[in-house]
Amino acid sequence: MLRILTYGLAGAALVFLSITVHLAITAFLPFPFSQINILFLLLVILILFGWRHFALALSLVLHLVLELFSAAEFGSIFLPSAVAMLAMIWLSETVFTNKSFIAALALGGLGLILYRGLYLLFVVFTNTGPAFSLQGYRAPIAAEILLTTLAIG
């Protein structure tokens, strides 16, 4: 019982610390560097070290908390992240099995491309306002994919 309580408190502390660091990076760094996705970086590192199930559970909790406190449509963060995490776990078990530098970069890059692609599809299909334009999404998403992938390496 004490072990379960200890793991639960440690997990809650990790969720709180991860979200706090992610929000601090987003708020205080200038434009290109503020786009680094710290949560995704942490999750890819956990996958690379073999903690796949823990990374999936942590991803679900982290993105659900972010979903609850974001202004985006409900499900636009949680669903793409869940699909991207499952795809990254599958890729790490079947395709990128050697855990090299190139495999880490490829896993992180492909995961982020999938996550942001699904996010954009979700936003496009749930758009209820004026005409949707990808113009404002290009630079931040490109910076996020590039910088987060480089930070993984």
Side-chain angles (χ1 to χ4, degrees), residues 30-48:
F31 165 65
F33 302 109
S34 66
Q35 298 301 313
I36 295 175
N37 195 333
I38 299 297
L39 301 179
F40 213 80
L41 178 68
L42 170 72
L43 295 169
V44 169
I45 290 171
L46 287 174
I47 288 173
L48 290 173

Side-chain angles (χ1 to χ4, degrees), residues 40 43 56 59-60 63 67 72-88 110-123 126:
F40 213 80
L43 295 169
L56 179 62
S59 170
L60 294 176
H63 288 103
E67 185 78 51
E73 293 88 0
F74 191 75
S76 65
I77 295 173
F78 183 75
L79 293 175
S81 70
V83 171
M85 281 301 296
L86 289 172
M88 285 181 10
L110 289 173
L112 268 174
I113 289 170
L114 179 64
Y115 171 62
R116 284 302 172 186
L118 290 173
Y119 173 79
L120 285 176
L121 281 174
F122 196 89
V123 169
T126 60

